[in-house]
Amino acid sequence: MADPELVDVVVVGLGVGGEEVAGRLAEAGLTVVGVERDLVGGECPYWGCVPSKMMIRAANAIAEARRVDGLAGTAEVRPDWTPVAKRIREEATDTWDDTVAVQRFTGKGGRFVRGTARLDGPGRVRVGERVFQARHGIVLGTGTRPSVPPVDGLADTPYWTNRQAIEVEELPESLLVLGGGAIGLELAQVFARFGVRVTVVEALDRVLAVEEPEASEVAAAALRADGVEIHTGVRAERVSHDGRGFALHAAGGARFTAERLLVVAGRRAHLDELGLDTVGVDAGRRYLSVDDRLHVTEGIWAVGDVTGEGAFTHVAMYQAGIVVADVLDHARRAAGGPDPSGTASATGGASGTTGVRGSAGAVPCADYRALPRVTFTDPEVGAVGLTESQARERGVNVQVGLARLPSSARGWIHKAGNEGFVKLVADADQGVLIGATSVGPAGGEVLSGLAVAVHAAVPLARLRQMIYAYPTFHRTVEDALRNMS
Ligand SMILES: Cc1cc2nc3c(=O)[nH]c(=O)nc-3n(C[C@H](O)[C@H](O)[C@H](O)COP(=O)(O)OP(=O)(O)OC[C@H]3O[C@@H](n4cnc5c(N)ncnc54)[C@H](O)[C@@H]3O)c2cc1C
C-alpha cells in the first residue's frame, strides 16, 4: 500500500458546510483535499432548500392567482408541473450534475477526490486505497440522511424520501406524507396546490411540534384549506404496497391509502460509517458532539447537520466560518505564530511549510441563542430562540405577548391569505426577548427584526420606543409588545 500523502487539511463531505470550509481554507493557502461521495454542494442545492423553494414559489403563485376572486376579478388557474420540474432540472441542479461545483472548489486551489472517506487513525483519512495524512486537521461535514421509522413492511416498499419528491416529473394522483414537520408540510402544501390528493399522518399530537402551538394551528388550518387531510396522534404500524399503491395501517385500526408514500420523519447522521473508533470517538451517539469551536477531538472539527445543532443551511454556513477561523489559527500557531504580513506565500505543498493568508484574530465561539428557523408554508412560520414552553421548562420568569395579523391594519388590507400572528417570549427579569414567532405571508422576513432583538438582547423598553412603519406586517410586533403580560 502507498505511503500516506501529507496535506494540510482533509474535509470529508462537501455539502453546504464542508464545501464552504474546504474552499475558504484552500483560498487561504492551505493544501486542502475535499472528499465527496455524491454531489458537491450536498442536500441543499440538489434535493433540499433550493429546489423545494422553487416548488413553493410556483405553488404560491397558484394560490395567489386563486385569491384574485373577491379581490380583483376572476382568474382561471390550470396548474402544470412541467415548468416546475424543468426549472429544478435545468436551473437548480444541472440535472443533478456537480461539474460546476467541483470547478468552483478546484478553482479556489482545492484538490477534489470523489469517494467515500473514513477516518483511519489520528490525522489520517482513507478513501479506497488512498490515505491522506492531515497536518493541521480533519473536518467532518457528512450531513444526515432521511430516517426511516421502524414501521413493519415499510423498508420493502418503493416509498419516497425528499429526493424522489424533488426529482418527480409527473405528479401522482394521491400522496401520503408520513411526518408533519417542516419538510413534510412544505411538500404537502405544494403537491396539494398542484391537484394531488394529499394526506399527512403525524405521530405527535400536532404538526410542526417543535414550534409554538399557535403556529401549528395556523399551519394546519392553511393546509386543510388547500385540501390536505391531516391526521395527528396517529402511529403508523404497518405499510404495504400492492404494485399500484400504498396502504398505511395505524394503531387503532385506521387505514390510509395513496398512490405514493413520502417518508419525511426526521433525519439521521450515520456516525458508524466514519471510522470514529480509530480516533477514540464514540460513534454510538445520535450526532457528533462538539464544543463551541466545533472541535470533536484533537485535530478533528465538525460542521453542519452532523453536529445536531440545527439542521439548516444557515447553521452549516455559520459554523463553517468558525471552523475556518479556528483551523487557520491552529495552522498559524503550528507555523510559529501570526503571519505578520497577513499575505504569506500560498506555496505550501505536500511537503513544504504552509503559508497561511488572512489576518490572525480571536476565533469566535458558536452561539445558538438567536438561531432562526423558517418553515416555508403559506403562511410562513418564522421562529427564533426559545418557544414559550421551552422557556418555562428552563425556569425563566416568562412574559408572553401575542397579536394576530388579520386584526392589524396590514392584515385587514391584505384580506385573503392574511392568517398569522406575532408571538413574543420575554425573560421578565432581564427585560429582553428570548424567543419570538412570526407567522404570516412574510413571516420569515418579519422574523429578521425579532432575530436582531434576541441576538443583541435589545431591552423591551427600547423595542417599545421604536417606530414601526405603517402599514407593514412587522407593525404587529408593536401590538404584541403592547399585549405582553
Ligand atoms: C427537502 C429539504 C428542504 C430543506 N430546506 C431548507 C431550507 O429552506 N433552509 C435551510 O436552512 N435548510 C433547509 N434544509 C436543510 C439543509 O439542506 C441542510 O441543513 C444542509 O444541507 C446541511 O448541510 P451539511 O453540509 O451539513 O450536509 P449535507 O448537505 O447533507 O452534505 C453532506 C455531504 O457529505 C457527503 N458525505 C457523507 N458521508 C461521506 C463520506 N463518508 N465520504 C464522503 N462524502 C460523504 C454526502 O454525500 C453529502 O453530500 C432542507 C433539507 C431538505 C431535505
Side-chain angles (χ1 to χ4, degrees), residues 457-470:
V458 181
L460 288 171
R462 287 203 77 84
L463 291 176
R464 289 196 173 100
Q465 288 155 5
M466 246 180 79
I467 303 170
Y468 297 82
Y470 179 88

Side-chain angles (χ1 to χ4, degrees), residues 46-123:
Y46 297 103
W47 299 283
C49 332
V50 177
S52 68
K53 265 77 253 177
M54 280 185 176
M55 291 159 71
I56 288 166
R57 168 79 180 112
N60 287 358
I62 291 173
E64 273 299 277
R66 287 176 178 152
R67 290 173 184 142
V68 165
D69 288 24
L71 282 177
T74 54
E76 197 191 333
V77 187
R78 282 191 299 276
D80 179 4
W81 190 251
T82 317
V84 185
K86 183 172 187 289
R87 190 162 181 226
I88 290 172
R89 209 184 327 108
E90 294 179 3
E91 292 178 36
T93 68
D94 273 351
T95 318
W96 291 274
D97 181 311
D98 66 351
T99 306
V100 172
V102 171
Q103 285 166 354
R104 191 167 58 216
F105 174 51
T106 54
K108 291 175 181 169
R111 259 181 67 197
F112 178 61
V113 175
R114 180 93 62 195
T116 298
R118 267 182 83 81
L119 297 168
D120 195 34

Side-chain angles (χ1 to χ4, degrees), residues 395-439:
V396 176
N397 179 13
V398 172
Q399 256 191 323
V400 172
L402 188 142
R404 300 269 170 194
L405 241 53
S407 49
S408 70
R410 178 59 180 274
W412 177 76
I413 293 165
H414 195 79
K415 203 170 175 179
N418 67 357
E419 298 80 8
F421 62 87
V422 168
K423 179 172 177 178
L424 307 177
V425 180
D427 179 330
D429 298 335
Q430 304 294 323
V432 294
L433 290 184
I434 50 173
T437 298
S438 142
V439 180

